Amino acid sequence: MLRLENVYASYELTEVLHGISLEVKKGEVVTIIGANGAGKTTTLMSISGLIKISKGGIFFENRDISGLPPHEIVRLGISQVPEGRRIFPQLTVLENLEMGAFLCREKGEITDRLDRVYSYFPLLSERSRQLGGTLSGGEQQMLAIGRALMSGPSLLLLDEPSLGLAPMVVSKIFEILRKINGQGVTVLLVEQNARAALMLANRGYVMETGTISMTDDAKALAADRRIREAYLGE
């Protein structure tokens, strides 16, 4: 479904990605783990078209999307949940969700997507008229995921969904991500909580200073001594 081939990307004059290659197959959950500054967020921003790559190619369903603007990439079926949630705090929960469907012109389809989001996150239905900024951190994360789902993606990109959340909330969100994947949405997950990410994922990539240093089945990575020492605190 998604393929990155020898991708280079920079912030201004600083090169952050140094020729990374990875792939995500339809129906998978794939995770990218690594330390702060490894290039994980830059990878997702490059896929979403928010950062223009300087070399290499990004292919979605065999189409090169490297030069497309972000809204066209969303239209093709890729939606991103950004690090830090970035909801609209002065809009209601419902208005935030409706913003996620900005490319959809069919009212019936928007209603169907909204019902689907509410089935994953019933609390959002209960809080639909509440301002987004008054929600707890975990509730805002649910809203951010729901907003991304409102575009009807076939590939969902998530950047640090566990950031700043209590373990019980993280467990609940990852359980819902498993359910979303089980209903046909492919997932690419960037996550510093390597233990939770590898428990959810089918396969994983390890990033170090803008390169892919390891890749394997998620269970194999979780059992690898180097990964356990570097990322699992053992």
Side-chain angles (χ1 to χ4, degrees):
M1 176 178 272
L2 177 73
R3 189 172 77 255
L4 277 65
E5 293 184 354
N6 198 35
V7 169
Y8 290 75
S10 303
Y11 283 121
E12 298 179 350
L13 300 177
T14 304
E15 187 176 85
V16 179
L17 301 182
H18 314 301
I20 70 165
S21 297
L22 60 83
E23 67 175 15
V24 181
K25 298 175 184 177
K26 186 175 182 180
E28 283 190 313
V29 177
V30 174
T31 188
I32 305 173
I33 62 174
N36 278 334
K40 306 186 300 299
T41 292
T42 303
T43 300
L44 293 192
M45 300 278 270
S46 298
I47 296 167
S48 294
L50 296 166
I51 293 176
K52 297 302 179 186
I53 66 173
S54 54
K55 186 178 177 182
I58 300 174
F59 301 88
F60 180 63
E61 295 182 336
N62 294 318
R63 174 178 177 175
D64 189 347
I65 63 171
S66 307
L68 293 182
H71 69 278
E72 288 297 334
I73 292 173
V74 172
R75 195 188 303 276
L76 288 175
I78 300 176
S79 190
Q80 182 171 344
V81 181
E83 181 180 1
R85 297 133 204 171
R86 298 189 187 182
I87 63 159
F88 300 100
Q90 298 305 318
L91 297 183
T92 66
V93 167
L94 178 59
E95 288 167 339
N96 268 275
L97 293 173
E98 289 173 337
M99 288 293 288
F102 74 103
L103 289 174
C104 184
R105 296 291 178 263
E106 299 294 331
K107 287 187 177 180
E109 178 62 26
I110 292 174
T111 299
D112 289 345
R113 292 178 186 179
L114 195 59
D115 288 344
R116 194 173 305 121
V117 168
Y118 285 159
S119 74
Y120 294 132
F121 306 109
L123 183 142
L124 297 182
S125 177
E126 299 168 12
R127 307 282 181 87
S128 63
R129 301 299 174 184
Q130 187 172 328
L131 293 181
T134 66
L135 299 176
S136 69
E139 291 163 353
Q140 288 189 20
Q141 187 64 67
M142 293 175 189
L143 180 56
I145 295 171
R147 181 183 59 187
L149 292 173
M150 287 295 292
S151 70
S154 53
L155 175 61
L156 184 64
L157 312 178
L158 295 113
D159 194 352
E160 305 285 3
S162 75
L163 186 66
L165 302 182
M168 186 176 296
V169 178
V170 172
S171 178
K172 183 175 182 180
I173 286 176
F174 273 67
E175 180 182 327
I176 293 169
L177 291 178
R178 188 182 302 279
K179 186 175 180 181
I180 291 169
N181 174 248
Q183 295 188 3
V185 179
T186 303
V187 174
L188 177 58
L189 169 68
V190 157
E191 182 56 70
Q192 278 197 313
N193 186 338
R195 189 181 303 277
L198 292 172
M199 285 179 64
L200 177 68
N202 303 108
R203 294 187 300 109
Y205 292 86
V206 181
M207 286 197 76
E208 295 179 1
T209 58
T211 62
I212 301 293
S213 61
M214 290 180 68
T215 180
D216 208 333
D217 174 89
K219 290 182 179 178
L221 286 175
D224 188 282
R225 177 181 53 80
R226 293 164 294 176
I227 300 301
R228 298 181 76 85
E229 290 177 354
Y231 301 108
L232 302 183
E234 297 182 7

